[in-house]
Amino acid sequence: MTTDRVFQRSPFPAAPPSRRQMLAALIATPVLPALAQFRVEVTGVGLTQLPIALAPFRGQAQAPQKMAAIVQADLERSGQFRAVDADGAALDETTRPDLALWRKKNADSLLAGSVALSSNGRFDVRFRLWDVVKGQDLGGQSFLVTPGDLRLVAHRIADFIHEKLTGERGVFSTRIAYVTRTTTRTGARYSLWVADADGENAQSALSSPESIISPAWSPLGDQLAYVSFESRKPVVYVHDVASGRRRLIANFRGSNSAPAWAPDGRTLAVTLSRDGGSQLYTIDANGGEPRRLMQSAGIDTEPAFSGDGRSIYFVSDRGGAPQIYKVGVSGGDAERVTFTGNYNISPSVSPDGRWLAYISRAGGAFKLQVMDLVSGSVNAITDTTADENPSFAPNSRLIVYATEQQGREALMTTTLDGKIKARLAGQAGDIREPDWGPFQKP
């Protein structure tokens, strides 16, 4: 099999090539250590955006985080809001604002709040949201948190605003997982990270001199399945995020790869070559004997469950080139899903079941595509050429993916129409394999 036909999350025994290696587009300069901190750069203009004024929180100068700025970045990244200048506004959650003034500024809503340092070293954060057009108090909340939780509180405030003004849950307090590859004096180092949805506050879950690929969040967001090459072959583990403990799920003869959780969290779909050739199986989330889904003469890999758990989307070359297919969770005949282009991989199904994101190769470029599963229409939503591994936000409104911009690895988020993109750019290093986690428990 040629390199051309090696799919992302390769099921083969050799260490997996990255998409950049497949494109022969690696930068020849040395790779520097990746940093856990990111910056957000939002580009593009959405067709419909809600204008909101976010006044600086009273007292936020004494806090290590600028609350209003974090909330603003969250809302802008969603593509559904645009900020109205509120510099110099002296407001907090107790203020009855002059809403006529904010109407003149063309703001539809207004956020005001405060941050106060308590005697025990915690911060008291309070806020209130106003509907400027209707003149209504939309409510507020208060939090008493350690300095390390201030960013989480800002994300929860953004979630509150998003739900109040759009009627849909925000995803700003959710988490993403991703993998970095860095070069040290002793060789390559691979790390699995868990970070806030904006890429900040990253914590290392695992580090290894051998490749780590295919992280996948469990439906409850408390576990990560992934593939490790530390045994000199791909093996599937499940990692408990809180405790750091892990358990072995699949270490059968040959390759074990591409884990995907069923929505009920009880089973995983995996790609195994134990019986010759890479085929799809389901296996209990605690391990055990796998059950083969189909008989195929081709490579079947990269499973992804539908939101209702009834179907599994996957990649297969059974027709001669990689395309995306769908099969019932109990097996049976597979149905081809993609027909545009001759090389389509890395399926991700939106939780609401309406959208399919995937990567398509055209003219040597790998681009993110979004298909409407109702109409079958497909849109290319990026202008980059090395896109990888799309993953939907739990509200189905955003996608995170890996790509390369100006010779640098980066994580990006995009709206489904591609009009609003946010770069979560590390200072250096090879950033790949993002997966967006589920909604956090209240």
Side-chain angles (χ1 to χ4, degrees):
M1 174 162 293
T2 65
T3 303
D4 244 3
R5 294 176 61 200
V6 176
F7 309 150
Q8 189 178 9
R9 298 181 182 177
S10 166
F12 304 103
S18 73
R19 179 62 59 219
R20 285 79 179 177
Q21 289 171 321
M22 294 167 61
L23 289 168
L26 282 173
I27 303 304
T29 53
V31 181
L32 301 176
L35 302 183
Q37 293 298 306
F38 289 69
R39 67 182 183 278
V40 176
E41 301 169 359
V42 178
T43 58
V45 177
L47 295 179
T48 303
Q49 294 175 308
L50 303 175
I52 182 171
L54 301 109
F57 278 37
R58 179 176 57 79
Q60 74 173 14
Q62 64 182 325
Q65 304 287 350
K66 301 297 182 272
M67 306 298 289
I70 297 170
V71 174
Q72 178 177 328
D74 282 347
L75 296 177
E76 289 181 340
R77 192 169 57 256
S78 76
Q80 295 181 271
F81 297 86
R82 62 176 177 86
V84 173
D85 186 12
D87 283 348
L91 304 171
D92 63 23
E93 75 284 354
T94 65
T95 307
R96 174 73 188 191
D98 181 355
L99 298 181
L101 173 64
W102 292 102
R103 280 194 289 270
K104 290 181 181 179
K105 292 178 176 285
N106 295 317
D108 284 357
S109 53
L110 169 67
L111 175 73
S114 65
V115 182
L117 181 62
S118 302
S119 58
N120 60 4
R122 293 175 177 264
F123 283 92
D124 186 359
V125 182
R126 301 167 184 257
F127 74 92
R128 189 159 297 280
L129 179 66
W130 294 87
D131 185 322
V132 172
V133 177
K134 297 180 180 179
Q136 293 180 348
D137 177 352
L138 297 179
Q141 293 176 333
S142 64
F143 306 86
L144 188 63
V145 296
T146 63
D149 284 334
L150 282 172
R151 289 195 67 87
L152 177 59
V153 165
H155 296 322
R156 287 180 175 169
I157 294 172
D159 285 340
F160 179 94
I161 295 169
H162 189 282
E163 187 162 2
K164 284 290 184 180
L165 299 183
T166 72
E168 297 179 343
R169 290 184 70 177
V171 295
F172 312 115
S173 62
T174 60
R175 296 181 291 180
I176 60 173
Y178 61 91
V179 175
T180 59
R181 179 188 182 275
T182 59
T183 299
T184 68
R185 293 178 181 176
T186 58
R189 195 79 187 169
Y190 299 84
S191 296
L192 173 62
W193 298 89
V194 173
D196 292 352
D198 62 356
E200 296 281 1
N201 195 31
Q203 306 293 321
S204 178
L206 179 69
S207 184
S208 172
E210 303 297 335
S211 293
I212 302 168
I213 62 172
S214 305
W217 284 100
S218 68
L220 294 179
D222 56 345
Q223 300 178 92
L224 278 167
Y226 61 89
V227 176
S228 171
F229 281 72
E230 63 199 75
S231 300
R232 299 294 178 175
K233 62 177 258 186
V235 174
V236 177
Y237 289 93
V238 167
H239 184 98
D240 184 88
V241 175
S243 69
R245 292 191 298 268
R246 67 177 183 172
R247 62 184 183 273
L248 181 64
I249 298 298
N251 184 18
F252 301 101
R253 182 177 63 87
S255 172
N256 310 263
S257 64
W261 291 88
D264 63 8
R266 297 176 182 174
T267 59
L268 291 159
V270 293
T271 301
L272 307 177
S273 63
R274 55 178 280 176
D275 299 318
S278 295
Q279 300 288 288
L280 295 183
Y281 296 75
T282 56
I283 190 170
D284 189 276
N286 291 310
E289 183 63 20
R291 182 180 67 84
R292 187 166 177 168
L293 280 178
M294 295 170 292
Q295 300 287 334
S296 170
I299 292 175
D300 294 345
T301 187
E302 294 195 295
F305 280 88
S306 61
D308 60 12
R310 295 177 181 176
S311 302
I312 296 176
Y313 290 75
F314 65 99
V315 176
S316 178
D317 67 348
R318 61 184 61 198
Q323 294 290 347
I324 297 170
Y325 294 78
K326 179 176 71 170
V327 68
V329 71
S330 298
D333 295 331
E335 172 189 347
R336 184 168 165 178
V337 177
T338 53
F339 293 90
T340 303
N342 59 12
Y343 192 105
N344 297 303
I345 59 173
S346 303
S348 177
V349 189
S350 63
D352 65 7
R354 180 173 177 182
W355 309 98
L356 174 71
Y358 61 95
I359 303 298
S360 183
R361 187 185 68 182
F366 291 85
K367 290 181 174 292
L368 175 60
Q369 315 279 321
V370 173
M371 174 189 288
D372 184 330
L373 289 172
V374 176
S375 69
S377 62
V378 178
N379 291 313
I381 61 173
T382 61
D383 55 9
T384 42
T385 60
D387 302 338
E388 291 184 354
N389 209 79
S391 176
F392 277 93
N395 68 354
S396 302
R397 287 283 189 173
L398 294 170
I399 299 169
V400 64
Y401 62 102
T403 192
E404 184 178 292
Q405 283 196 332
Q406 300 174 342
R408 299 286 298 277
E409 304 284 345
L411 295 184
M412 301 283 293
T413 61
T414 180
T415 51
L416 302 191
D417 59 8
K419 294 185 180 299
I420 300 289
K421 296 184 178 69
R423 181 179 180 181
L424 310 177
Q427 298 297 310
D430 185 359
I431 308 167
R432 57 177 66 165
E433 304 276 348
D435 192 61
W436 205 318
F439 285 117
Q440 297 282 77
K441 293 179 181 179

